[in-house]
Amino acid sequence: MDGPRTGLRGRAHAACDAPHHAGGRGVASLTVRVIAAGRTGPNRDLRFGSEHHDLDETGRRDCRRLVEGSAGLTSVGVAFCGPEASVVQTADLLGIHAGVDAGLCSLDLGRWQGRAPEDIPVGELRDWFTDVASVPHGGESIADFVARIGDWLDRARSPEMILVVSMPVAQAVIACATHGGPHDYWSIEVEPASEHTVSLPLDSGGDRCHSDTQK
């Protein structure tokens, strides 16, 4: 669980303003197909950090449907996935031979891990959803999280890849392709077992994924 989301739905495309081109100077942008892990349980049962759990039957079914509706999932030579149980299981169901990379681990929610939203003080939730630099749970701020994922992307030099990740990581990747970076995080909607295509400039240095409000 990573909080309420509005905005991009289903298969989304997020693009930077830098052009995607190849020529004498090489590939100018990185194309990333981002697949969010399937669900682990019904909404009423979800708790913070639920991506660490196994997929439920609906999650497995949604992954199988994604295979039927997506082209070339297994044809891309470079694929990585996060280490969470639901993420690894999603990659397996999709037939994607992805290398598990701890750098793509989900948002660190500190003492909120495993807790339901109704168990969290209202003031802490308000800070969390309104200030990207806040860490009311003692874990990782949204600003630091998006910056971490941006740094990982900046080190990726393959012009095309597939990432199978938790929904929070998928949100962070898409945020790196927007002008607002971490400030756009909560406006980005990522659903379970959804596919998104993101284009990022290879020479950006990850700056768009960082925020001057980081603590």
Side-chain angles (χ1 to χ4, degrees):
M1 169 176 286
D2 58 334
R5 299 176 295 273
T6 59
L8 300 174
R9 180 180 294 275
R11 295 191 187 187
H13 177 82
C16 295
D17 50 8
H20 183 132
H21 65 81
R25 297 170 63 183
V27 178
S29 64
L30 171 69
T31 298
V32 184
R33 293 177 69 180
V34 184
I35 298 173
R39 82 168 205 172
T40 59
N43 289 336
R44 65 179 179 273
D45 295 335
L46 288 183
R47 296 174 178 269
F48 287 105
S50 60
E51 61 269 21
H52 294 274
H53 300 161
D54 292 336
L55 296 174
D56 69 356
E57 182 52 41
T58 297
R60 291 189 289 271
R61 184 183 66 233
D62 290 344
C63 288
R64 290 191 288 267
R65 288 177 176 171
L66 185 60
V67 172
E68 297 170 359
S70 297
L73 283 179
T74 60
S75 63
V76 175
V78 180
F80 298 98
C81 71
E84 297 80 15
S86 65
V87 174
V88 174
Q89 291 167 13
T90 296
D92 288 343
L93 284 170
L94 296 177
I96 297 173
H97 301 292
V100 177
D101 193 316
L104 293 171
C105 66
S106 195
L107 178 62
D108 178 3
L109 292 166
R111 61 179 174 271
W112 288 6
Q113 182 75 26
R115 299 175 66 185
E118 56 267 28
D119 297 332
I120 309 299
V122 173
E124 291 187 9
L125 287 174
R126 182 180 58 249
D127 290 344
W128 177 239
F129 291 123
T130 58
D131 181 1
V132 299
S134 68
V135 283
H137 42 60
E140 192 173 23
S141 72
I142 293 298
D144 287 343
F145 173 53
V146 174
R148 170 167 65 81
I149 298 303
D151 288 342
W152 189 96
L153 291 168
D154 190 48
R155 293 191 298 272
R157 290 302 169 188
S158 173
E160 186 175 359
M161 70 172 65
I162 286 181
L163 301 181
V164 184
V165 292
S166 67
M167 288 192 292
V169 173
Q171 283 178 270
V173 173
I174 296 171
C176 285
T178 69
H179 292 287
H183 298 286
D184 286 343
Y185 181 86
W186 292 121
S187 68
I188 296 167
E189 179 175 2
V190 172
E191 297 181 348
S194 60
E195 180 183 352
H196 310 261
T197 301
V198 178
S199 294
L200 296 163
L202 283 173
D203 58 353
S204 67
D207 291 341
R208 187 164 294 175
C209 302
H210 292 73
S211 169
D212 57 10
T213 61
Q214 294 181 60
K215 291 181 179 179

